[in-house]
């Protein structure tokens, strides 16, 4: 049987570029070389696309062993650009059987890359255009979840354009609705980039200004004294929920440094919750996954209020990290699915969705 050609698209023009590079390295190492031929497709900070497939023997040193080198694509062949001005030579040796998009944040996790792959007719791992776009927008995610009966933390939203004119009226409304502290977040980013825990009006103003550097819209949520619990979902028509994990950290909140750098951050698997709490959150994770029309994978993040034990669904991450410290692969490993098998299943779900799409009529018959 011939090997499947798997394109790993990574990097990107977002604040999560470096995290994406590390995730791609993990996925590359997890692919069974007897079943797959990996094709690395790197997107630089400048938006340039690069391909490396004939020189994969260079990658263990240039990419796997040195993520910083991968960030600048030092190990990729500069002569193999995905989109050429010169059409006399193809960018790829052969068509791809499936793509594993692992660009986190804007341009990879917001439906744009998925739309490109849909138009090209290439199967890809993970959620489709609609669900990736919805889940990337924290405010719209809450609207869908609320209608589905999933408990959420309320929010208020202001556009970057409005904030640049004046924030006084907006802050007045938030202060009337929510007590301090509140959280100020860009509506469409991940990895806690641009997120602030705000305790005063003066900080509120500067936090909105900073968050607006990263997105067109900013949301504000009330701070709740809560534990952070996560659940991984895997599957297509019949998705499964993993065991739960808990994140413990010493910082003010689970910020970028706590996620990727702080040695004091702990990932506890399984989470210290009651069987009833576990059953409830796993059921809510599956309900949210279906309500947002997700496919393949998502990491579902909960807040569990310390005082009441009540869960609130915070967000769904449709392209969760695959770094050594990432919760998604760790949760499935604890649930009995090791990383190589997890990657196999994600690829199979991508192909399953493609077969389903191919079965649809594309010509109207009266």
């Amino acid at each position: 049987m011939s090997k499947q050609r798997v394109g790993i698209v990574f990097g990107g023009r977002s604040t999560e570029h470096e995290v994406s590079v590390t995730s791609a390295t993990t996925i590359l190492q997890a692919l069974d070389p007897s079943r797959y031929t990996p094709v690395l497709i790197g997107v630089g900070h400048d938006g340039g696309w690069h391909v490396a497939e004939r020189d994969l023997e260079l990658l263990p040193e240039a990419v796997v062993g040195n993520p910083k080198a991968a960030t600048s694509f030092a190990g990729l062949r500069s002569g193999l650009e995905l989109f050429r001005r010169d059409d006399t030579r193809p960018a790829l040796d052969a068509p791809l059987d499936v793509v594993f998009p692992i660009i986190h944040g804007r341009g990879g996790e917001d439906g744009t890359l998925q739309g490109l792959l849909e138009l090209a007719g290439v199967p890809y791992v993970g959620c489709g255009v609609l669900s990736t776009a919805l889940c990337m927008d924290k405010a719209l995610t809450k609207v869908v979840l609320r209608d589905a009966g999933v408990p959420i933390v309320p929010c208020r939203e202001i556009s970057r354009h409005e904030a640049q004119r004046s924030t006084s009226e907006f802050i007045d409304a938030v202060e009337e609705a929510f007590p301090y502290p509140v959280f100020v977040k860009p509506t469409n980013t991940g990895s806690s980039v641009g997120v602030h825990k705000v305790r005063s009006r003066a900080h509120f103003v500067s936090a909105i200004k900073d968050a607006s550097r990263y997105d067109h819209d900013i949301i504000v949520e009330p701070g709740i004294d809560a534990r952070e619990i996560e659940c991984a979902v895997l599957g297509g028509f019949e998705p499964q929920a993993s065991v739960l994990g808990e994140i413990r950290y010493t910082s003010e909140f689970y910020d970028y440094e706590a996620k990727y750098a702080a040695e004091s951050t702990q990932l506890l698997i399984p989470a210290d919750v009651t069987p009833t709490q576990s059953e409830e959150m796993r059921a809510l994770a599956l309900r949210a996954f279906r309500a947002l029309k997700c496919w393949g994978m998502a990491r579902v993040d909960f807040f569990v209020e310390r005082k009441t034990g009540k869960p609130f669904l915070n967000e769904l991450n449709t392209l969760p990290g695959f770094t050594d410290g990432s919760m998604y692969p760790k949760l499935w490993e604890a649930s009995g699915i090791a990383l190589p098998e997890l990657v196999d299943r994600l690829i199979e779900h991508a192909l399953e969705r493609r077969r389903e799409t191919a079965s649809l009529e594309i010509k109207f018959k009266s």
Side-chain angles (χ1 to χ4, degrees), residues 34-344:
S34 69
R35 298 183 58 187
Y36 306 110
T37 297
V39 179
L40 289 177
I41 302 172
V43 181
H45 274 300
D46 62 355
W49 290 55
H50 309 270
V51 176
E53 58 178 320
R54 298 187 191 92
D55 292 342
L56 282 177
E57 66 272 15
L58 299 178
L59 294 177
E61 178 181 354
V63 176
V64 177
N66 188 351
K68 290 184 179 180
T71 303
S72 61
F73 306 116
L76 302 184
R77 295 179 59 178
S78 60
L80 284 175
E81 294 186 0
L82 187 60
F83 299 119
R84 292 178 175 274
R85 294 183 183 276
D86 177 7
D87 295 329
T88 59
R89 294 176 59 194
L92 296 170
D93 285 351
L96 299 174
D97 295 303
V98 65
V99 165
F100 204 125
I102 198 64
I103 293 180
H104 303 303
R106 185 176 290 111
E109 203 171 352
D110 55 4
T112 52
L113 178 56
Q114 289 74 15
L116 173 67
L117 294 169
E118 289 281 358
L119 288 172
V122 179
Y124 57 92
V125 169
C127 297
V129 177
L130 175 64
S131 52
T132 48
L134 270 176
C135 291
M136 190 68 179
D137 190 300
K138 298 178 179 67
L140 290 179
T141 296
K142 290 176 184 287
V143 172
V144 175
L145 294 179
R146 185 176 61 236
D147 286 351
V150 177
I152 58 167
V153 177
C155 75
R156 298 291 188 272
E157 187 175 31
I158 186 172
S159 72
R160 183 174 188 261
H161 177 71
E162 291 175 302
Q164 286 174 338
R165 291 189 298 176
S166 175
T167 58
S168 296
E169 188 175 334
F170 175 73
I171 292 176
D172 287 343
V174 171
E175 288 179 331
E176 186 175 341
F178 307 142
Y180 286 110
V182 297
F183 280 91
V184 175
K185 307 176 180 180
T187 300
N188 291 275
T189 62
S191 293
S192 297
V193 171
V195 176
H196 294 262
K197 187 174 185 178
V198 172
R199 300 181 183 275
S200 68
R201 190 179 182 99
H203 186 192
F204 207 154
V205 173
S206 63
I208 290 177
K209 183 177 181 180
D210 183 64
S212 68
R213 295 167 54 207
Y214 302 103
D215 193 36
H216 298 291
D217 301 293
I218 302 99
I219 67 167
V220 180
E221 299 171 341
I224 60 174
D225 182 19
R227 300 162 61 194
E228 298 210 16
I229 307 293
E230 297 187 348
C231 178
V233 178
L234 170 68
F237 295 113
E238 298 180 2
Q240 301 171 282
S242 72
V243 301
L244 303 182
E246 180 174 0
I247 300 167
R248 293 183 183 175
Y249 45 87
T250 57
S251 55
E252 270 279 284
F253 63 96
Y254 195 37
D255 58 12
Y256 188 96
E257 180 157 348
K259 288 180 178 179
Y260 302 115
E263 295 183 359
S264 58
T265 299
Q266 295 179 294
L267 305 183
L268 305 179
I269 305 174
D272 184 16
V273 295
T274 68
T276 300
Q277 286 177 311
S278 176
E279 183 179 349
E280 180 183 10
M281 279 184 277
R282 293 174 74 238
L284 287 172
L286 292 174
R287 187 192 302 180
F289 190 85
R290 293 188 176 100
L292 288 158
K293 300 187 177 181
C294 295
W295 182 275
M297 66 174 165
R299 194 194 68 235
V300 185
D301 301 346
F302 291 93
F303 293 136
V304 177
E305 195 171 36
R306 295 183 190 278
K307 186 176 181 180
T308 65
K310 181 179 178 179
F312 296 91
L313 200 152
N314 179 34
E315 62 182 8
L316 283 81
N317 189 316
T318 58
L319 277 179
F322 274 76
T323 69
D324 289 341
S326 293
M327 188 66 100
Y328 187 84
K330 286 181 176 292
L331 288 173
W332 281 117
E333 183 178 18
S335 302
I337 301 177
L339 183 59
E341 182 185 352
L342 177 60
V343 171
D344 288 345

